[in-house]
């Protein structure tokens, strides 16, 4: 993780200087000092480049004099509405543009301590890189940027704000690391181990294997796992951060789909692009990252994260289309398509979660359906909920964090599509409304408790660089749910 320091504004005599400039800003502070020290070179360059501080615009000035290697101007947009997202995006733009510099000083006219910390968060998030398996990369080809010093009037206050945001950034990295790992490395047992390692943050972590789940009667989850030589796991992570009266409140509960690889099983997927199914555990990855974030920033809440971890493989022992399994809830399911496996995993984990923990609400995350990508593309995650207040809070948290959600319908008429001729239900409802019938299926396992289902199939992985998310695993859901908790469920 990029090293962050805060300091009172003072001009570096060497190295790189970043100027965050809003529309209409006039040279002052470090900007003015640097311009004077370089005999007006900065002002002239910005004028020639027609840089006016527009949002997302940058202008790099190389070797302007006065010992500076480079000055990078980053536009903040209109100074009136300096939202969290613009500050983070500016932080991200700094990292994207400064790859060759080892360090830089960042200055803006009167950046408040909290705002300085938000710039830091954007920079750190954009600086993520998964390079564990590159053995031949030359030092010259790696990004050099290792640290940023951000100028603010009150460095101590900025540090306090950053300590919390750093915990969140760490949670995002936990999720991105898990989602990026190849599926031969990250099988269910390995993923459970990585959860257990998070006990160092103060989480209590319990793991169940197939034997225990079998005794409980997790027939739906274990039916998916039975085709793989890699055993299933369920991991439960507890964060008990609520003190005083709040500690007696019902816990908030998060549940993740963790299919470490989804071949489709006997209903096998086509070969093209199947490698993407390594990230079919991104819902679980987000839950694990969220729990790390809550612990990392010592959130004043009691939260429980549960993940169902399986590998969906075709083999002589794999489940067949036509099989009927008995879920932990007692309800029977006719498995028409072994590729609709995520809902089978969630069925048992959700029933267990509501029965065991009597939650205030449950939110589950899952890369559940290709159909949600057809409907919403890669802009919004799909939100399904039986609780209007929870749905509104989630939608609002999505707008603030940029991890946007769009509410989709639930209705009895869709539920009819999953009626089975021989069991209580079947696991697919045909092509019409594929994401909705999947949600209807899951709803049958929440026992009427307040619940939301986030279908994140379109959001878990990004094919291109974005402001604070380099291409690859996004960790979508970590910041969204961290913000939900911070806004509504802490002291
Ligand atoms: N993991 C997939 C959904 C998915 C598709 C995630 C593309 C990310 C990108 C899920 O298990 C699946 O295979 N769903 C099927 C359901 C169908 C068989 C009813 C689908 O969407 O095709
Ligand atoms: Mn599938
Ligand atoms: Zn899947």
């Amino acid at each position: 993780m990029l090293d962050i320091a805060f300091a009172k504004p003072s001009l570096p005599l060497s190295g790189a200087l970043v100027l965050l400039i809003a529309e209409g800003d006039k040279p002052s502070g470090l900007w003015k000092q640097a311009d004077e020290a370089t005999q007006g070179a900065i002002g002239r360059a910005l004028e020639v480049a027609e840089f006016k501080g527009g949002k997302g615009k940058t202008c790099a000035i190389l070797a302007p004099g006065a010992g500076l290697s480079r000055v990078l101007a980053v536009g903040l947009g209109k100074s009136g509405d300096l939202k969290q997202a613009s500050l983070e995006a500016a932080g991200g733009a700094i990292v994207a543009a400064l790859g060759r510099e080892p360090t830089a000083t960042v200055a803006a006219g009167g950046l408040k301590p909290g705002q300085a910390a938000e710039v830091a968060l954007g920079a750190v998030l954009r600086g993520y890189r998964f390079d564990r398996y590159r053995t031949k990369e030359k030092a010259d080809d790696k990004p050099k940027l290792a640290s940023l010093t951000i100028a603010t009037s009150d460095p101590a206050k900025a540090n306090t704000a950053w300590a919390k945001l750093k915990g969140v950034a760490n949670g995002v990295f936990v999720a991105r690391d898990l989602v990026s790992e190849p599926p031969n490395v990250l099988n269910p047992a390995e993923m459970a181990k990585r959860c257990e390692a998070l006990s160092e943050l103060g989480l209590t972590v319990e793991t169940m294997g197939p034997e225990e789940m079998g005794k409980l009667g997790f027939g739906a989850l274990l039916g998916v796992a039975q085709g793989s030589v890699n055993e299933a796991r369920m991991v439960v992570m507890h964060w008990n951060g609520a003190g005083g009266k709040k500690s007696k409140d019902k816990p908030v509960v998060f549940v993740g789909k963790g299919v470490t690889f989804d071949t489709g099983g006997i209903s096998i997927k086509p070969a093209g692009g199947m490698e993407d199914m390594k990230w079919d555990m991104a819902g679980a990855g987000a839950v694990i990252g969220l729990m790390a974030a809550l612990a990392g920033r010592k959130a004043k809440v009691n939260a429980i994260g549960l993940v169902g971890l399986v590998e969906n493989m075709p083999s002589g022992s794999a489940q067949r289309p036509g099989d009927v399994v008995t879920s932990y809830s007692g309800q029977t399911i006719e498995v028409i398509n072994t590729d609709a496996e995520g809902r089978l995993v969630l069925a048992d984990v959700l029933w267990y979660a509501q029965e065991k923990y009597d939650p205030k609400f449950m939110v589950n995350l899952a890369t559940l359906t290709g159909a949600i990508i057809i409907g919403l593309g890669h802009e919004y995650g799909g939100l399904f909920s039986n609780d209007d207040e929870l749905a509104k809070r989630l939608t609002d948290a999505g707008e603030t964090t940029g991890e946007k959600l769009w509410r989709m319908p639930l209705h009895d008429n869709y539920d009819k599509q999953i009626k089975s001729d021989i069991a209580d239900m079947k696991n697919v409802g045909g092509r019409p409304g594929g994401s909705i019938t999947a949600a209807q299926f899951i709803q049958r396992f929440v026992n009427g408790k307040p619940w939301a289902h986030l279908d994140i199939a379109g959001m878990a992985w990004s094919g291109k660089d974005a402001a604070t998310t380099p291409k690859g695993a996004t960790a979508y859901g970590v910041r969204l749910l961290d913000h939900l908790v911070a806004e509504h469920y802490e002291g």
Side-chain angles (χ1 to χ4, degrees):
M1 191 182 289
L2 193 64
D3 231 13
I4 298 291
F6 300 96
K8 295 222 160 152
S10 74
L11 196 60
L13 293 172
S14 62
L17 173 67
V18 178
L19 302 170
L20 302 183
I21 298 175
E23 281 172 35
D25 278 2
K26 295 272 169 310
S28 69
L30 285 190
W31 178 7
K32 191 159 173 224
Q33 283 175 43
D35 198 38
E36 282 164 5
T38 57
Q39 277 93 44
I42 295 171
R44 286 194 299 277
L46 294 183
E47 199 173 312
V48 171
E50 296 180 31
F51 178 90
K52 297 189 181 72
K55 201 184 223 159
K57 302 273 187 235
T58 60
C59 173
I61 309 158
L62 298 178
L68 289 163
S69 60
R70 110 177 53 197
V71 169
L72 175 71
V74 175
L76 290 173
K78 300 208 168 54
S79 59
D81 62 2
L82 271 193
K83 296 227 176 72
Q84 188 178 330
S86 337
L87 291 159
E88 285 177 18
I94 294 169
V95 171
L98 277 190
R100 305 317 303 157
E101 297 280 354
T103 181
T105 298
V106 181
L111 213 54
K112 294 192 192 95
Q115 295 178 319
E118 279 162 5
V119 172
L121 178 63
V124 163
L125 292 180
R126 181 61 188 263
Y128 175 81
R129 201 158 182 263
F130 186 79
D131 53 11
R132 188 174 288 181
Y133 299 104
R134 295 176 191 264
T135 67
K136 299 202 162 187
E137 200 173 34
K138 296 194 188 75
D140 268 3
D141 294 332
K142 291 192 180 165
K144 280 197 189 140
L145 191 67
S147 66
L148 285 180
T149 300
I150 304 177
T152 171
S153 55
D154 192 339
K157 251 195 178 159
N159 258 316
T160 310
W162 172 237
K164 289 195 180 259
L165 294 185
K166 192 177 176 184
V168 177
N170 181 58
V172 168
F173 283 21
V174 164
R176 286 183 187 169
D177 281 350
L178 289 168
V179 174
S180 303
E181 282 287 3
N184 59 330
V185 172
L186 197 81
N187 56 39
E190 172 63 21
M191 202 162 159
K193 262 195 208 151
R194 303 231 180 152
C195 294
E196 281 155 18
L198 295 176
S199 58
E200 74 177 33
L201 295 174
L203 294 171
T204 312
V205 185
E206 306 156 28
T207 302
M208 269 190 214
E211 212 169 301
E212 234 175 309
M213 288 190 276
K215 273 189 199 140
L216 283 169
F218 277 28
L221 183 150
L222 290 172
V224 177
Q226 76 186 35
S228 173
V229 295
N230 294 309
E231 283 184 357
R233 296 285 185 271
M234 178 174 74
V235 181
V236 186
M237 291 156 283
H238 300 258
W239 169 247
N240 295 316
K245 268 194 204 149
K246 280 248 158 200
S247 67
K248 292 198 188 59
D249 284 6
K250 294 179 175 186
V252 298
V253 168
F254 302 95
V255 174
K257 166 183 173 181
V259 177
T260 60
F261 196 76
D262 181 12
T263 63
I266 296 298
S267 314
I268 197 164
K269 290 181 181 294
M274 203 203 274
E275 68 280 7
D276 283 353
M277 285 301 111
K278 77 168 183 179
W279 46 262
D280 207 20
M281 37 56 70
V287 168
I288 298 163
L290 169 69
M291 295 305 291
L294 294 175
R297 69 170 180 80
K298 302 200 165 43
K300 294 189 181 59
V301 68
N302 290 342
I304 303 175
L306 300 96
V307 292
L309 309 175
V310 299
E311 184 176 52
N312 188 21
M313 297 292 266
S315 78
S317 66
Q319 139 171 289
R320 294 148 290 255
D323 283 4
V324 173
V325 296
T326 304
S327 68
Y328 177 52
S329 71
Q331 302 175 86
T332 57
I333 304 160
E334 184 187 10
V335 178
I336 298 292
N337 187 321
T338 64
D339 197 12
E341 84 298 340
R343 61 199 76 181
L344 297 170
V345 173
L346 290 170
D348 282 343
V349 181
L350 281 166
W351 191 268
Y352 179 84
Q354 61 81 28
E355 181 183 83
K356 175 122 185 178
Y357 299 113
D358 186 22
K360 182 174 301 189
F361 64 74
M362 301 193 285
V363 176
N364 76 258
L365 298 99
T367 48
L368 203 66
T369 66
I372 202 71
I373 311 177
I374 304 301
L376 299 176
H378 302 288
E379 286 302 320
Y380 287 86
L383 161 64
F384 301 82
S385 182
N386 59 5
D387 184 297
D388 289 342
E389 183 182 60
L390 179 59
K392 169 88 168 59
R393 289 175 170 184
L394 281 162
T395 306
D396 290 348
E399 291 303 320
T400 311
T401 57
E403 296 185 344
K404 302 191 295 297
L405 284 170
W406 195 264
R407 192 166 182 188
M408 303 282 289
L410 290 164
H411 195 282
D412 280 349
N413 290 354
Y414 293 110
D415 201 68
K416 293 186 185 123
Q417 285 177 235
I418 54 171
K419 277 190 176 162
S420 160
D421 291 335
I422 73 156
D424 297 335
M425 70 196 85
K426 54 185 180 183
N427 76 331
V428 293
R431 277 174 62 81
S435 303
I436 309 174
T437 52
Q440 293 290 159
F441 182 97
I442 296 172
Q443 189 175 23
R444 290 178 177 223
F445 297 89
V446 302
N447 207 9
K449 304 274 160 69
W451 152 82
H453 153 54
L454 314 185
D455 192 337
I456 62 168
M459 307 306 291
W461 192 267
S462 168
K464 55 178 201 288
D465 288 338
T468 58
T469 314
K471 86 179 198 193
T474 61
Y476 177 96
V478 175
R479 300 200 50 215
L480 170 79
L481 297 175
D482 173 71
H483 190 78
L484 174 82
V485 169
E487 282 285 294
H488 301 288
Y489 303 100
E490 289 187 62

